[in-house]
Amino acid sequence: MAIERSPLDALADALEGHPQRRSIERSVVQLLEIARTSRDADEWRLITGALADIRDGFNVFAPHRQTRKVTVFGSARTQPEEPAYALAEELAREAARRGFEVMTGAGGGVMEAANRGAGCESSIGLNVDLPFEQHANRYVNACDGRLLHFRYFFTRKLFFLRESDALVVMPGGFGTFDELFESLTLIQTGRTPPIPLVLLAPEDDSFWSDWLKTIDGTLQDRALISSEDTSLFKQARSAAEALEQISRFYRVFHGAQLAGEQTELLLHCPLPAATVAELNQRFDLLVDEGNISQGESCDPNGILRPCLRFQLDRRKVGLLYQLIDVLNGLPLELPPSIEQPGQRLCSLPPTP
């Protein structure tokens, strides 16, 4: 008779030769410490539910790592006859045409419109269990392997920010503003790498312009935010304008690596030495210590790319966005494949 092996035995086998063995062992130690002090069923339900959400998220996103993703936030209550619905559908359709995948909260309204525009082949839905309103819309519900059901809002938000390469926020209520401010907070504090954040509303809709008046007239005037913090987002009045801003964000800039003391801005091409000197003069306040230097670094795919390296003053992330904007406006000769902004590996040279 075969003896059934315990999960701990299976874990021991899985750790053999695993490249992340030390991190896994640290996680197990944390669970053991909790087990020594907690007998509460609700606490363990939280732990197992959160881990299950993370496991499911990794499984769904693993096949999509090389494609950039645009997340669309907005009201679940927007009706199909409203201009915002048509705008979200147009935005997602054009984003998919440019090579992006489109992520939503999988609900109705703006989310439904975006999944409808992107189609199954380019949609991903991150649903959350709610007693009302939030049922996966039909346009993503039928997409095999592209719909996630989260138990908790916090794990869902984790994956929205972890997997997004751009955020488009359309008019919405408490939930939409929760997602907007969560995103702004994580970006402003450097907890997530820089990505474009676009506030989008129909041409004759003053939703965001009214909100920006409050931001400028209350938060900024009282010095509750820095003057450069408004550089963390842009406003658009059409789908084409929103996507042009997103595509431009990755024209020269490829991505950022913020781990450790040194910040690295990965680029699609090297910069002239004179340009680096000009950037040091113009963005001196951005650097906590030392200066901006040019070098090379490996991206998460192991590809060696040109980069700018410096010690970032993390109170100046708005200024970092201004630097990225300047980089993307430089008159540099770029590889032709940059015309496919939705692909992470679009700047690789052709294989000989």
Side-chain angles (χ1 to χ4, degrees), residues 8 61-62 65 96 100 111 148 154 179 196 203 212 231 248 260 263-264 275 307 311 319 347:
L8 292 178
F61 283 106
R65 294 292 184 206
F100 292 96
M111 295 173 279
L148 269 162
F154 75 90
E179 290 157 342
E203 181 66 37
L212 288 170
S231 299
R248 186 183 184 278
T263 292
E264 294 179 338
T275 300
C307 79
Q311 191 167 326
L319 199 58
S347 62

Side-chain angles (χ1 to χ4, degrees), residues 115-141:
N115 289 131
R116 181 178 185 177
C120 259
E121 64 280 2
S122 298
S123 281
I124 298 177
L126 279 62
N127 198 21
V128 65
D129 293 332
L130 287 178
F132 62 94
E133 275 190 356
Q134 190 75 353
H135 303 286
N137 67 70
R138 56 179 170 156
Y139 297 103
V140 74
N141 194 38

Side-chain angles (χ1 to χ4, degrees), residues 45-342:
R45 191 176 297 114
L46 169 64
I47 293 168
T48 55
L51 289 174
D53 279 354
I54 293 170
R55 176 204 62 205
D56 294 344
F58 288 161
N59 289 338
V60 166
F61 283 106
H64 306 279
R65 294 292 184 206
Q66 304 313 325
T67 304
R68 293 194 188 276
K69 301 167 191 65
V70 177
T71 290
V72 181
F73 292 134
S75 176
R77 305 184 187 195
T78 300
Q79 298 301 308
E81 63 272 13
E82 295 182 44
Y85 188 102
L87 182 58
E89 185 176 352
E90 179 188 358
L91 170 79
R93 185 183 302 111
E94 179 61 18
R97 190 189 70 78
R98 296 190 185 202
F100 292 96
E101 291 188 311
V102 177
M103 290 200 301
T104 77
V110 165
M111 295 173 279
E112 175 186 289
N115 289 131
R116 181 178 185 177
C120 259
E121 64 280 2
S122 298
S123 281
I124 298 177
L126 279 62
N127 198 21
V128 65
D129 293 332
L130 287 178
F132 62 94
E133 275 190 356
Q134 190 75 353
H135 303 286
N137 67 70
R138 56 179 170 156
Y139 297 103
V140 74
N141 194 38
C143 301
D144 187 37
R146 288 178 170 270
L147 176 62
L148 269 162
H149 293 278
F150 285 91
R151 296 156 183 81
Y152 300 113
F153 271 107
F154 75 90
T155 46
R156 181 178 183 241
K157 289 179 184 176
L158 167 67
F159 277 93
F160 267 133
L161 268 294
R162 186 179 191 274
E163 302 295 338
S164 293
D165 298 279
L167 303 172
V168 177
V169 189
M170 299 190 65
F174 290 156
T176 300
F177 275 102
D178 175 54
E179 290 157 342
L180 171 59
F181 280 109
E182 175 91 3
S183 301
L184 283 172
T185 299
L186 293 174
I187 291 170
Q188 181 198 47
T189 56
R191 301 300 294 180
T192 189
I195 58 174
L197 194 163
V198 182
L199 307 176
L200 175 63
E203 181 66 37
D204 58 351
D205 189 335
S206 64
F207 188 90
W208 291 120
S209 56
D210 290 344
W211 179 78
L212 288 170
K213 289 176 185 176
T214 302
I215 296 298
D216 291 338
T218 303
L219 300 184
Q220 191 167 326
D221 286 355
R222 295 188 181 190
L224 300 175
I225 60 172
S226 301
S227 59
E228 63 265 18
D229 282 340
T230 54
S231 299
L232 300 177
F233 52 82
K234 294 185 180 294
Q235 191 176 7
R237 289 295 191 177
S238 69
E241 183 183 3
L243 286 165
E244 184 56 37
Q245 290 172 350
I246 292 169
S247 296
R248 186 183 184 278
F249 194 89
Y250 294 107
R251 178 180 173 270
V252 174
F253 173 75
H254 175 78
Q257 300 182 149
L258 305 181
E261 292 187 359
Q262 291 290 314
T263 292
E264 294 179 338
L265 301 186
L266 304 176
L267 309 177
H268 290 304
C269 63
L271 305 182
T275 300
V276 178
E278 291 172 8
L279 293 175
N280 269 294
Q281 290 184 343
R282 184 169 176 179
F283 292 96
D284 177 64
L285 293 177
L286 180 62
V287 181
D288 196 36
E289 186 176 326
N291 57 18
I292 300 172
S293 62
Q294 185 165 213
E296 292 182 321
S297 184
C298 285
D299 69 12
N301 296 294
I303 305 300
L304 191 64
R305 297 185 183 276
C307 79
L308 294 180
R309 188 178 290 116
F310 55 95
Q311 191 167 326
L312 172 68
D313 183 344
R314 292 182 180 262
R315 297 166 297 180
K316 300 287 185 179
V317 174
L319 199 58
L320 175 62
Y321 269 66
Q322 294 179 18
L323 169 60
I324 292 171
D325 194 51
V326 168
L327 290 173
N328 289 321
L330 293 173
L332 301 173
E333 186 173 345
L334 298 168
S337 54
I338 298 300
E339 294 173 2
Q340 300 176 11

